[in-house]
């Protein structure tokens, strides 16, 4: 009897913990007595055609993972309901969810909210619900719970760059599936850049005949060999307009809006390779860039381009070209925005171009930066004529922008603060918190990239900065640039778990933020990601190694992002384990040919990567 009671209590406690593992964290979640067990007899209810679609998605999940084929009818034990009378608390994307012994009820005002309730229901079920095949011996229990949930921000985005590396239609759908598990609702689709033009424009066929393909190159992006004349351009790809429509439909069924980006006037080498007349230099030998170094960076945002990758703002043919591009894009994408880039536009070729100088004189411009403002206003006029709003990176502030333009703040938060104070709508996506291509942990373990962004730093982000009126902050976004990301699984590895942190930030109440609580939920989702065969990084388990100098001595400082992880180290050419020296405080590194080896453990078990650094490596970290 005692054993039975113990097992019952353990089962209830396990389910209660289960209920608290939802990402993003719900506004209100209360454990209640009981649990609903899904069986072969379970029915699914849907009160109209819109809720029926979500009920069918859930039934498909159960069939794949549990081997169950529940009947869908008007009312059922698991009920999906679009409210006849709106619940004013939850808005358009919120939902209520209640699970008891008798069943599960999910209700929302709109299909998007019902879909997010469905995602929370999936997270309440055992991790095997994410499996791609039937899991045997699983009890499909939904813990007793009551949830009232709605988002903090309306814009909860991720950006996928498909120019640096092309991702197939199936890959893009997979990324959308990854997003919606965590209630992201916006996919920013970076479709064009120096390294490839990825969307069919029927009136400009060379954009994909030429601009979508480049020479094949191995090695680190930025260190590759220049393309040679006559070399075959075998790497690349593009989306036909039918592909785009299919992906938009797929996203729409899952509550995701797709924002297309055509990056102009800079980052346009692929377009110029197809149509050389678009640039100032009009070089017919311009090629789609395969990842070579074609710029010199001086710091502080200053740089010089070796190759002209910028559209000519003084040439009317450029605006005729853009009108054709945006005419076709506006017809394809139903959302109100088209992103036009505007970032990292090198103006050195404009300074030397007679046409640009003549335009500056005609328009009484005193600085070449004003040409970008002129260009952007012309582009905005084109977009507005097609019923679209201009969206761009924070450089569009240079040279002035119209009051109706919307800005994405990527160079930190400064541009977003400035734009919001000017009355512009802003999406906060600063590289300092939200660039998912940045290294996630120890630089000697993950492949090299030019900056580091740890999970804890991402989690510390808040889109509404001090002194800014929140009404101008649409929300936030994580950006995944893909110079070093050739596959969709590695795209997942770089996106998660940092995007889980962003999901909490964009959805959950600000005052609910709790790092220790988040990391516990994160670890539960590592297991769910394994079941889903989804990529993710465990860099959060690795030690943090810093160095400083004091009184001429080299000092090492070790740490961890997690409070319950122990750090051990050696400097005597032995491999560290949990019987080695445990780190408790900064220590002096001997002035000798030593190697510092660092390992992390939890509860006596190894948990992170082994980090190995020579003394000279540590010295390079001083001051960082």
């Amino acid at each position: 009897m005692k054993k039975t009671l113990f097992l019952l209590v353990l089962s209830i406690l396990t389910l209660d913990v289960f209920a608290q593992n939802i990402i993003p964290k719900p506004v209100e979640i209360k454990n209640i007595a009981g649990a609903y067990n899904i069986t072969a007899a379970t029915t699914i209810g849907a009160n109209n055609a819109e809720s029926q679609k979500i009920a069918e998605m859930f039934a498909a999940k159960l069939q794949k993972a549990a081997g169950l084929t529940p009947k869908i009818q008007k009312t059922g034990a698991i009920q999906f309901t679009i409210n006849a009378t709106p619940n004013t608390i939850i808005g358009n994307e919120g939902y209520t969810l209640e699970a008891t012994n008798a069943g599960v009820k999910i209700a929302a005002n709109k299909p998007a909210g019902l879909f997010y309730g469905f995602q929370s229901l999936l997270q309440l079920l055992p991790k095997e619900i994410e499996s791609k095949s039937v899991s045997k011996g699983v009890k499909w229990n939904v813990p007793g719970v009551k949830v009232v949930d709605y988002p903090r921000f309306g814009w909860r985005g991720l950006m996928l760059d498909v120019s640096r590396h092309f991702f197939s239609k199936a890959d893009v759908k997979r990324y959308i599936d990854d997003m919606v598990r965590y209630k992201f609702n916006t996919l920013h689709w970076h479709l064009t850049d120096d390294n490839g033009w990825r969307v069919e424009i029927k009136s400009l066929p060379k954009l994909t005949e030429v601009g979508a393909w480049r020479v094949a190159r191995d090695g680190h992006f930025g260190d590759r060999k220049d393309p040679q004349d006559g070399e075959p351009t075998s790497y690349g790809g593009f989306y036909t307009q039918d592909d785009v429509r299919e992906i938009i439909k797929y996203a729409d069924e899952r509550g995701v809006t797709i924002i297309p980006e055509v990056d102009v006037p800079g980052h346009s080498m692929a377009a110029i390779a197809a149509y050389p007349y678009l640039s100032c230099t009009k070089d017919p030998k311009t090629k789609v860039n395969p990842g070579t170094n074609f710029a010199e960076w001086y710091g502080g945002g200053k740089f010089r381009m070796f190759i002209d990758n910028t559209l000519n703002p003084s040439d009317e043919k450029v605006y005729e070209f853009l009108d054709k591009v945006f005419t076709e894009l506006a017809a394809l994408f139903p959302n109100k925005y088209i992103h036009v880039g505007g970032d990292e536009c090198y103006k050195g070729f404009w300074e030397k171009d007679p046409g640009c100088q003549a335009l500056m004189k005609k328009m009484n411009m005193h600085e070449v930066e004003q040409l970008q403002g002129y260009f952007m206003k012309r582009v905005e006029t084109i977009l507005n004529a097609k019923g679209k709003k201009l969206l761009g990176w924070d450089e569009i502030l240079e040279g002035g922008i119209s009051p109706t333009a919307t800005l994405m703040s990527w160079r930190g938060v400064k541009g977003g603060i400035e734009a919001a104070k000017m009355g512009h709508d802003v999406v906060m996506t600063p590289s300092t918190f939200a660039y998912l291509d940045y290294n996630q942990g120890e630089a000697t373990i993950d492949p090299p990239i030019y900056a580091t962004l740890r999970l804890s730093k991402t989690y510390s982000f808040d889109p509404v900065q001090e002194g800014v009126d929140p009404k101008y902050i649409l929300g936030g976004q994580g950006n995944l640039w893909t110079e070093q990301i050739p596959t969709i699984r590695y795209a997942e590895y770089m996106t998660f778990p940092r995007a889980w942190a962003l999901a909490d930030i964009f959805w959950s109440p600000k005052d609910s933020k709790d790092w220790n609580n988040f990391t516990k939920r994160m670890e539960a989702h590592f297991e769910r990601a394994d079941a889903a065969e989804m990529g993710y990084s465990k860099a959060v388990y690795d030690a943090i190694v810093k160095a400083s100098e004091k009184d001429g001595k080299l000092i090492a400082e070790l740490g961890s992002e997690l409070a319950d992880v122990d750090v051990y180290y050696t400097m005597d050419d032995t491999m560290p384990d949990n019987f080695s020296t445990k780190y408790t405080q900064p220590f002096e590194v001997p002035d000798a040919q030593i190697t510092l080896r660092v390992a992390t453990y939890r509860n006596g078990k190894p948990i992170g990567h082994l980090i190995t650094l020579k003394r000279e490596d540590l010295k390079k970290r001083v001051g960082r």
Side-chain angles (χ1 to χ4, degrees), residues 396-621:
I396 66 174
L397 284 172
E398 298 168 5
I401 55 175
S402 84
T404 59
T406 300
L407 179 139
M408 280 190 171
S409 186
W410 77 273
R411 295 179 298 179
V413 296
K414 181 182 177 183
I417 293 171
E418 181 182 347
K421 288 184 175 180
M422 293 167 61
H424 293 282
D425 286 339
V426 173
V427 178
M428 282 293 198
T429 177
S431 60
T432 42
F433 296 98
Y435 264 37
L436 304 178
D437 56 310
Y438 283 7
N439 191 305
Q440 303 180 72
E442 171 56 44
T444 61
I445 293 173
D446 272 357
I449 195 74
Y450 42 84
T452 295
L453 175 60
R454 291 187 178 273
L455 177 65
S456 53
K457 179 70 178 291
T458 294
Y459 191 73
S460 71
F461 174 49
D462 189 82
V464 180
Q465 297 292 300
E466 187 176 349
V468 173
D469 189 335
K471 74 178 183 180
Y472 294 114
I473 307 301
L474 300 180
Q477 182 172 287
N479 293 334
L480 187 69
W481 303 101
T482 61
E483 287 93 337
Q484 295 299 120
I485 301 175
T487 67
I488 189 63
R489 184 165 178 82
Y490 197 65
E492 292 173 333
Y493 174 90
M494 295 301 291
T495 301
F496 303 105
R498 288 179 295 190
W500 299 342
L502 292 175
D504 254 24
I505 291 161
F506 301 155
W507 180 282
S508 308
K510 181 180 179 180
D511 61 6
S512 73
K513 187 177 285 189
D514 181 327
W515 170 248
N516 290 330
N517 173 274
F518 168 74
T519 55
K520 286 180 174 63
R521 287 180 287 130
M522 170 198 73
E523 292 192 89
H525 282 262
F526 284 166
E527 295 182 9
R528 300 185 74 86
D530 287 336
E533 299 178 4
M534 178 177 159
Y536 63 93
S537 168
K538 290 186 176 181
V540 70
Y541 292 133
D542 295 343
I544 300 170
V545 183
K546 297 180 180 179
S548 61
E549 283 186 339
K550 185 177 182 180
D551 300 328
K553 298 176 180 179
L554 181 62
I555 306 298
E557 182 181 348
L558 311 181
S560 170
E561 292 187 88
L562 302 178
D564 60 349
V565 167
D566 296 317
V567 181
Y568 296 89
Y569 68 95
T570 63
M571 291 188 290
D572 59 1
D573 276 344
T574 62
M575 296 298 286
D577 60 18
N578 56 322
F579 295 96
S580 302
T581 303
K582 183 178 179 179
Y583 177 78
T584 56
Q585 62 185 16
F587 56 88
E588 181 184 347
V589 179
D591 188 5
Q593 295 298 313
I594 63 93
T595 299
L596 173 67
R597 292 180 173 87
V598 184
T600 50
Y601 277 70
R602 177 191 277 165
N603 298 326
K605 302 291 183 183
I607 196 167
H609 291 96
L610 173 69
I611 298 172
T612 303
L613 296 166
K614 295 190 178 298
R615 192 177 195 279
E616 53 265 34
D617 298 325
L618 286 168
K619 289 203 70 165
K620 292 175 184 176
R621 299 191 177 199

Side-chain angles (χ1 to χ4, degrees), residues 70 250 260 304 454:
Y250 188 86
R304 179 173 69 93
R454 291 187 178 273

